[in-house]
Amino acid sequence: MSISLATNSGNYQISDQDSSLLDTLERTGHQIEYQCRQGYCGACRTTLTSGSVTYTTEPLAAVAPGSILPCCCKANSDITLAVIATITVAA
């Protein structure tokens, strides 16, 4: 399974996934805004441009079509995310 990121500082590929997409992004040096890590606040809302995810915890924050909350989901297919990363470090 592949995670493709289109960020404000370039495009990246990630192949190994952690317990959540947010954990995966952080582990690979891609820091995005978040507050709760449990789907309550919606601060980590990110655009999903292709693929699909599964929520490990049902989010309480509103999730519009084409958006995901990476704090509480995992990719269940190859996905592409449009991410505004606050800090991006080559992994």
Side-chain angles (χ1 to χ4, degrees):
M1 196 168 335
S2 156
I3 301 167
S4 300
L5 304 174
T7 74
N8 49 319
S9 62
N11 296 319
Y12 301 89
Q13 288 290 121
I14 302 169
S15 57
D16 294 328
Q17 191 172 189
D18 295 311
S19 59
S20 73
L21 282 174
L22 180 59
D23 291 338
T24 302
L25 293 171
E26 289 179 327
R27 176 182 50 80
T28 58
H30 302 87
Q31 304 300 315
I32 63 171
E33 182 67 34
Y34 71 89
Q35 296 294 318
C36 70
R37 299 187 81 90
Q38 298 173 345
Y40 299 136
C41 71
C44 66
R45 189 172 287 108
T46 300
T47 302
L48 177 69
T49 57
S50 69
S52 62
V53 299
T54 300
Y55 283 94
T56 55
T57 302
E58 192 62 33
L60 295 178
V63 183
S67 293
I68 62 166
L69 299 179
C71 70
C72 59
C73 70
K74 291 184 77 163
N76 61 7
S77 69
D78 290 348
I79 64 171
T80 302
L81 304 174
V83 177
I84 297 175
T86 56
I87 302 170
T88 303
V89 180

